[in-house]
C-alpha cells in the first residue's frame, strides 16, 4: 500500500508521464494523492481507474487542467477534496467529481482565470466543511451560480470578490460562517 503520492512540479510535465505516475499510485492503493504545479497550469490525463479508486481518502489538484472527467466515477472513501485553481474539461466536470463522493466531509474549491464552469453545485449530505474562493478579477458568466445543499455542514467559508453569491440552501447545523463578497 502506498500511503501518499505527492507530485509537485515547477515546470510542465507531459500528460502521459503524470498519468503513468498516478496509475502506479492507484495500483498501489494510494490513500493521499496530490498533484500540484507551481506557476502555470498543466494539462493532465488522469487514468480512468483513478476515478474509481476505492482507497483514496484525500485528493488535491492545484493548477491542473483536467483533460477529461468520465461520466461514471466513484470515490467511495474520499473524505477530503481540494480543487485549487483547476480548469475543467467541461461545465459538468466539477459536479460529476463532487457528487460522486458519498462520504466527503471537507471540500475546498478555488477558481482560476479562464475557468469554464458557470455553476458550482455542492449537494453532499455528508459535507461538514466547505471553503470556496473566487478572487479572480474577470467577469463571471451571466449564469454564474453557486448552490449549496448540505444538511451536515458546520463550517462555511466563502470569499467571492468578483462573482455573485446567488443561493445557499438550508444549512441547519451551520455553526461557523465567513462570507466575503465585493460584487459590483
Amino acid at each position: 500500500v502506498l500511503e501518499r503520492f505527492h507530485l509537485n512540479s515547477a515546470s510542465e510535465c507531459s500528460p502521459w508521464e503524470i498519468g503513468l505516475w498516478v496509475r502506479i499510485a492507484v495500483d498501489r492503493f494510494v490513500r493521499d494523492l496530490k498533484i500540484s504545479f507551481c506557476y502555470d497550469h498543466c494539462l493532465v490525463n488522469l487514468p480512468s481507474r483513478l476515478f474509481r479508486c476505492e482507497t483514496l481518502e484525500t485528493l488535491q489538484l492545484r493548477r491542473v487542467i483536467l483533460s477529461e472527467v468520465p461520466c461514471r466515477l466513484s470515490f467511495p472513501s474520499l473524505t477530503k477534496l481540494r480543487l485549487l485553481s483547476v480548469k475543467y474539461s467541461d461545465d459538468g466536470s466539477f459536479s460529476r467529481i463532487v457528487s460522486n463522493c458519498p462520504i466527503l466531509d471537507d471540500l475546498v474549491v478555488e477558481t482560476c482565470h479562464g475557468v469554464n464552469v458557470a455553476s458550482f453545485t455542492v449537494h453532499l449530505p455528508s459535507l461538514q466543511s466547505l471553503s470556496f474562493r473566487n478572487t479572480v478579477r474577470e467577469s463571471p458568466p451571466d449564469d454564474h451560480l453557486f448552490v449549496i445543499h448540505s444538511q451536515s455542514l458546520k463550517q462555511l467559508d466563502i470569499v467571492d470578490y468578483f462573482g455573485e453569491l446567488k443561493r445557499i440552501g438550508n444549512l441547519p447545523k451551520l455553526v461557523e460562517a465567513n462570507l466575503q463578497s465585493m460584487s459590483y
Side-chain angles (χ1 to χ4, degrees):
V1 172
L2 180 63
E3 289 291 324
R4 289 181 194 89
F5 177 75
H6 296 180
L7 172 68
N8 297 304
S9 180
S11 62
E12 189 172 326
C13 297
S14 84
W16 181 84
E17 287 177 304
I18 297 166
L20 177 64
W21 280 107
V22 172
R23 194 169 25 256
I24 291 168
V26 170
D27 287 347
R28 299 224 173 137
F29 309 105
V30 67
R31 294 177 195 263
D32 180 354
L33 176 65
K34 293 181 183 176
I35 301 172
S36 181
F37 294 94
C38 297
Y39 304 112
D40 291 327
H41 285 79
C42 187
L43 178 69
V44 296
N45 288 329
L46 297 175
S48 60
R49 65 180 98 167
L50 169 68
F51 294 100
R52 294 183 312 276
C53 185
E54 294 186 11
T55 59
L56 194 61
E57 297 172 2
T58 302
L59 175 62
Q60 177 175 307
L61 303 174
R62 179 186 298 272
R63 289 195 179 98
V64 165
I65 303 169
L66 292 176
S67 62
E68 186 177 335
V69 175
C71 292
R72 302 180 92 193
L73 63 117
S74 176
F75 290 114
S77 302
L78 198 66
T79 58
K80 290 183 173 78
L81 179 60
R82 308 276 187 269
L83 299 170
L84 310 172
S85 192
V86 171
K87 294 183 181 181
Y88 304 91
S89 58
D90 57 53
D91 190 42
S93 295
F94 173 81
S95 292
R96 282 195 304 278
I97 293 170
V98 172
S99 66
N100 285 288
C101 304
I103 64 168
L104 189 69
D105 64 17
D106 187 358
L107 174 63
V108 177
V109 178
E110 183 179 286
T111 62
C112 62
H113 289 283
V115 71
N116 62 341
V117 176
S119 177
F120 288 92
T121 300
V122 178
H123 187 77
L124 292 166
S126 61
L127 194 64
Q128 294 185 26
S129 177
L130 173 63
S131 178
F132 178 80
R133 298 202 181 294
N134 176 24
T135 57
V136 177
R137 185 187 276 281
E138 65 183 36
S139 297
D142 291 337
D143 56 351
H144 178 72
L145 184 64
F146 187 68
V147 181
I148 305 168
H149 292 288
S150 180
Q151 300 298 315
S152 301
L153 196 65
K154 295 178 182 174
Q155 295 178 314
L156 177 63
D157 182 25
I158 296 178
V159 177
D160 196 352
Y161 291 159
F162 303 103
E164 185 175 341
L165 184 62
K166 294 190 179 179
R167 182 172 177 204
I168 297 178
N170 186 19
L171 307 172
K173 295 187 179 181
L174 192 65
V175 293
E176 185 179 326
N178 174 33
L179 304 174
Q180 296 179 39
S181 180
M182 292 176 51
S183 298
Y184 294 101

